[in-house]
Amino acid sequence: MKFILIEEEILEKNLSDGAFKLYVILMSYCYGYKDSCYPSEKTLAKRLKRSLRSVTRYIKELREKGAITVIKREGGGNEYKIIGKIQLRNYNMLKKSINNKADRFIDYQQRSYDYDKLEKYLLGLEKDIDYGECIIKK
């Protein structure tokens, strides 16, 4: 069983049922971090169980509503780029980067303190204690 992650924004674009189904099919070709795919219109028509003319109308609707871009390829065929997928890809890359930074922060060697001296320093109870004296050297 396959699952396809779809951004909620696509629901706000008021797509026809056929255009939405085509969007889902295009997303199924864009697995992982891929944001583009190259199925023929004939293949899309077969998967949708619709005519080539219907597929052409759905592609036009998706382009007009800003869900995809279509790039004509040399030798025929189209490249379909999922616009929302690009943002998801950037989000996932950013999330991975943040997690790496968090891991490095967690691995940072923590300091040990003499808490009695630190408390007196922070509260200003003893004027002759400086911050360096609160850290226990290892």
Side-chain angles (χ1 to χ4, degrees):
M1 182 180 290
K2 291 183 179 181
F3 296 93
I4 300 168
L5 180 66
I6 298 175
E7 291 191 18
E8 193 172 342
E9 292 173 3
I10 196 70
L11 300 174
E12 297 169 8
K13 293 187 184 288
N14 296 323
L15 297 172
S16 66
D17 292 341
F20 180 76
K21 189 173 178 184
L22 177 61
Y23 180 83
V24 171
I25 289 170
L26 291 173
M27 286 290 288
S28 74
Y29 287 110
C30 298
Y31 55 87
Y33 290 118
K34 288 176 52 176
D35 61 357
S36 60
C37 57
Y38 311 92
S40 68
E41 288 185 6
K42 185 177 179 181
T43 300
L44 295 173
K46 189 174 182 179
R47 287 201 58 194
L48 276 170
K49 298 180 176 86
R50 299 287 165 91
S51 68
L52 284 171
R53 178 74 182 118
S54 293
V55 170
T56 303
R57 277 197 316 270
Y58 298 149
I59 290 170
K60 180 180 177 189
E61 182 180 346
L62 289 171
R63 280 184 27 223
E64 288 174 350
K65 302 250 177 136
I68 65 170
T69 58
V70 180
I71 302 166
K72 299 283 184 194
R73 294 173 48 202
E74 285 185 34
N78 294 325
E79 175 182 357
Y80 303 98
K81 280 192 166 282
I82 307 295
I83 294 175
K85 182 79 174 194
I86 296 167
Q87 295 168 349
L88 180 63
R89 178 182 176 183
N90 290 340
Y91 168 76
N92 285 335
M93 290 169 69
L94 179 64
K95 186 176 174 184
K96 185 177 179 180
S97 171
I98 290 170
N99 286 342
N100 288 342
K101 288 178 184 174
D103 290 343
R104 283 184 277 167
F105 177 76
I106 292 169
D107 290 342
Y108 180 75
Q109 185 177 5
Q110 298 296 314
R111 295 181 179 148
S112 297
Y113 293 98
D114 179 340
Y115 291 106
D116 291 331
K117 283 186 181 180
L118 183 61
E119 180 181 30
K120 291 175 185 174
Y121 168 74
L122 292 173
L123 295 175
L125 298 176
E126 291 188 25
K127 303 292 182 198
D128 58 336
I129 297 177
D130 72 337
Y131 178 73
E133 294 176 37
C134 300
I135 300 171
I136 297 173
K137 311 270 190 229
K138 289 188 178 185

